[in-house]
Amino acid sequence: MPKIRRLLGGLLTVAAAALIVAALVVPDAIARAKAGTFLPAAFLRIPIEAILAGAVVLVLPVRWRRPFAALFGLGLAALVVLKIANAGFRTVLGRKFDPVLDPPLLRDGYNALTETDGRTYANLAVAGAVLLVVVLVGALILSSVRLAGVGTRHRLPARRVLAGLSAAWVGLALSGLTLFPNAPVASDSGITLAKSTVRQVPLTIRDERQFAAAVRHDPYATVPAADLVSSLKGKDVIIGVVESLGHSALTDPGMSAIVNPALDAANGKLGAAGFHARTGWLTSSTYGGGSWLAHGSFQSGLWVTSQRRYDEMVSGDRLTLTRAFKEAGWQTAGMEPGNTKDWPEAGFYGYDKVFDSRTMGYKGPDFGWSRMPDQFVLDKFQRDVYAKATKPLMAEITLTSSHEPWTHVPSMVPWNAIGDGTVYESQVAGAPPRSELWSDPVKTQAAYAKTLAYSVDSLTSWAAEYGDENTVLIMFGDHQPMSIITGRNASHDIPVSVIAKDPAVLDRIASWGWTDGLRPAANGPVWRMDAFRDKFFAAYGRSDGVALGPR
């Protein structure tokens, strides 16, 4: 029995050491791994943090060793949670987790999971995450305490092990040996992450103060709204936002083979109806999700990159594109099929009326996260808004068919057959579950691209069918899709088009350097999304020499 007890004790000690090493090096390395990388190499690293913690334990008085070890385990657990959050945010939003700004996005992630996979699945996922954190904290604290106890009982061997590991770490650091991408064998990733996170906090606070000042000081606050859009007098201005239409869809071979022909076909259809288009690039303020942040940036001229910034923006009086038209005498409307509850921000943006998923009268099947196909939304807009407008109209239409998970790909139906949406019942049969589709990156890219082609076809078909000489259509993507589609470190750029029959509308933006048609030139100008509002006002405002703010 003593031998068995010693054997089990030794195995527990080895397991505790392995867990601490894994916690220090593996999650961070995995987050940066490329597909196909030999993952076990991530374990072959020596963390300096474990060596330093062991040295501290050996020099502390005995009575302080267990408390210090417990505190180290707790801190290590917090670091691991941060690494996991970073990995998740890199995958979905293309950036690291910001502990100051990003906690509200966890709620939005839960809501998105609820809408795509159901509340039961979302609740189970949350419960599983909480349980994982609890187990992680307990296991790391117990492991740290156990190793501290072993070091206390076997001081001389422990010192020799630490000395050997220290020498090995220094030698490996000098050699720069790396067995895993961006992860040297002599690891200090835990300290580096902690330092960068701590340093980021004051930088974030400073940036938020600068943003708050921008919210309060709008260069167009004192300019009459009619002067900002005077060149569009009598025009109906429609903004069509295509969910997740980004740079990769037009440039990655796996998607461009589907999307670019769809854009060319749409451009041909518009041309046959008398429309012309010019297209450029904008850099979105978000990536992979957070569409409302991009909408806010586009409309307000502010760089809205977080929920906190969004909340601050909508609590202020910043002039939006929609409100400028409203104050200049236009009728305004919003089509928001993704909204399932009241939207207080509608007043900030300046909408006279907003239609959402509860008020559009849709009785057809759900299409994944998107409750209804884009063509239905556009038909509803045509029948209940555009055809009934009593004065020039300014509207924003959010198209959601290309929202993840891309398991349901709608197809066009005759405009006179749409009705209440029950015509779409046959289109949802045989749709694969998310897990099945996303297990194959090639099929996932193709499904995403097909939904984009559908969204673009819906919007441009509406314009060709119902638009006239006074129709001005602005089409843009809100952000790039998740990295499962784009790969890591993808551009945050999105295409934006201005479409009109009246050549004077496009002549106003000739100086922008945009490309004719619906496909922007690869080397075309790129602006941040928050630049669009001011450039729009400058292009379509008064042309009699009166200054209208920054140009």
Side-chain angles (χ1 to χ4, degrees):
M1 287 298 292
K3 290 184 178 180
I4 295 177
R5 190 175 296 125
R6 284 196 300 272
L7 177 61
L8 291 177
L11 291 175
L12 283 175
T13 300
V14 171
L19 178 62
I20 289 175
V21 170
L24 283 167
V25 302
V26 174
D28 183 58
I30 291 174
R32 297 195 302 265
K34 296 180 180 179
T37 301
F38 184 56
L39 202 56
F43 289 89
L44 302 178
R45 303 172 68 194
I46 302 175
I48 189 64
E49 300 86 359
I51 296 173
L52 295 175
V56 171
V57 166
L58 292 182
V59 300
L60 280 175
V62 174
R63 63 193 180 97
W64 291 110
R65 292 177 183 176
R66 287 174 63 88
F68 171 80
L71 185 62
F72 174 78
L74 181 62
L76 183 54
L79 194 67
V80 172
V81 170
L82 179 60
K83 288 183 178 183
I84 294 172
N86 283 342
F89 269 66
R90 283 192 181 104
T91 299
V92 177
L93 299 179
R95 60 175 177 81
K96 294 195 304 181
F97 174 75
D98 189 321
V100 177
L101 299 177
D102 288 339
L105 292 181
L106 300 177
R107 176 196 61 211
D108 296 315
Y110 169 79
N111 291 337
L113 195 60
T114 298
E115 291 164 351
T116 55
D117 295 271
R119 187 169 298 277
T120 299
Y121 181 88
N123 288 337
L124 288 173
V126 171
V130 172
L131 180 61
L132 175 63
V133 170
V134 171
V135 171
L136 190 65
V137 170
L140 286 170
I141 290 176
L142 291 174
S143 295
S144 299
V145 170
R146 180 173 186 82
L147 291 179
V150 170
T152 298
R153 293 191 301 272
H154 306 282
R155 292 176 60 85
L156 183 58
R159 288 178 177 176
R160 289 174 176 171
V161 169
L162 287 175
L165 289 175
S166 299
W169 191 94
V170 170
L172 290 166
L174 292 174
S175 71
L177 180 63
T178 300
L179 301 177
F180 192 80
N182 302 311
V185 175
S187 171
D188 63 351
S189 61
I191 291 175
T192 300
L193 178 58
K195 286 168 57 179
S196 65
T197 302
V198 171
R199 288 174 178 172
Q200 183 61 37
V201 170
L203 295 177
T204 298
I205 294 173
R206 183 199 64 191
D207 289 346
E208 294 311 295
R209 288 174 178 167
Q210 293 175 348
F211 180 82
V215 171
R216 295 191 300 268
H217 300 95
D218 188 345
Y220 291 103
T222 60
V223 180
D227 288 346
L228 296 174
V229 294
S230 59
S231 296
L232 293 170
K233 186 176 181 179
K235 302 294 185 184
D236 297 312
V237 180
I238 314 300
I239 298 176
V241 187
V242 181
E243 168 68 36
S244 299
L245 173 60
H247 184 276
S248 297
L250 282 65
T251 57
D252 186 292
M255 297 169 283
S256 62
I258 296 171
V259 174
N260 285 340
L263 289 171
D264 292 340
N267 191 57
K269 186 182 301 182
L270 289 170
F275 282 94
H276 301 279
R278 286 187 180 164
T279 303
W281 296 107
L282 298 177
T283 300
S284 178
S285 60
T286 185
Y287 167 98
S291 300
W292 59 97
L293 307 180
H295 292 221
S297 296
F298 187 87
Q299 282 260 5
S300 71
L302 295 169
W303 192 236
V304 186
T305 57
S306 67
Q307 185 63 43
R308 177 176 293 186
R309 288 192 172 192
Y310 182 84
D311 293 340
E312 189 163 10
M313 175 191 71
V314 299
S315 65
D317 194 35
R318 182 82 175 188
L319 184 66
T320 64
L321 291 172
T322 303
R323 188 150 56 86
F325 280 98
K326 177 183 174 68
E327 293 178 1
W330 269 255
Q331 180 178 335
T332 60
M335 307 296 289
E336 298 293 340
N339 286 6
T340 60
K341 55 186 178 181
D342 293 342
W343 188 42
E345 299 96 301
F348 163 79
Y349 282 107
Y351 293 112
D352 292 322
K353 187 171 184 179
V354 174
F355 291 83
D356 62 25
S357 62
R358 304 167 301 173
T359 58
M360 289 190 189
Y362 180 70
K363 299 186 183 303
D366 287 350
F367 279 73
W369 181 90
S370 180
R371 287 167 173 74
M372 60 198 75
D374 293 338
Q375 192 186 7
F376 177 88
V377 176
L378 289 158
D379 182 63
K380 176 71 174 179
F381 170 73
Q382 173 61 32
R383 289 185 286 108
D384 290 0
V385 180
Y386 198 64
K388 296 181 179 180
T390 57
K391 52 185 178 180
L393 177 69
M394 197 285 178
E396 179 173 324
I397 305 172
T398 301
L399 304 176
T400 61
S401 290
S402 51
H403 193 288
E404 63 90 12
W406 312 296
T407 50
H408 298 72
V409 182
S411 57
M412 298 289 288
V413 300
W415 287 97
N416 61 6
I418 294 174
D420 63 2
T422 53
V423 67
Y424 295 108
E425 288 288 353
S426 61
Q427 293 192 14
V428 300
R434 182 212 299 258
S435 57
E436 178 182 327
L437 178 65
W438 286 23
S439 65
D440 187 330
V442 174
K443 289 183 178 179
T444 308
Q445 280 193 335
Y448 157 72
K450 289 175 182 177
T451 61
L452 285 180
Y454 168 78
S455 294
V456 170
D457 191 13
S458 296
L459 183 59
T460 54
S461 293
W462 169 84
E465 182 77 15
Y466 299 109
D468 57 28
E469 287 73 14
N470 289 322
T471 302
V472 177
L473 176 62
I474 302 171
M475 179 177 74
F476 76 98
D478 48 11
H479 55 71
Q480 285 263 62
M482 295 183 294
S483 60
I484 187 177
I485 298 294
T486 65
R488 297 199 181 277
N489 303 316
S491 163
H492 287 208
D493 296 343
I494 55 90
V496 54
S497 303
V498 176
I499 304 164
K501 286 189 176 183
D502 185 351
V505 173
L506 298 183
D507 288 345
R508 284 270 175 173
I509 62 171
S511 64
W512 289 4
W514 286 10
T515 308
D516 289 339
L518 296 179
R519 292 169 59 181
N523 60 349
V526 181
W527 313 328
R528 279 197 344 183
M529 189 173 276
D530 57 333
F532 184 84
R533 186 203 70 159
D534 291 4
K535 288 182 178 292
F536 185 89
F537 286 157
Y540 293 108
R542 289 175 61 178
S543 57
D544 55 5
V546 177
L548 296 179
R551 290 178 181 266

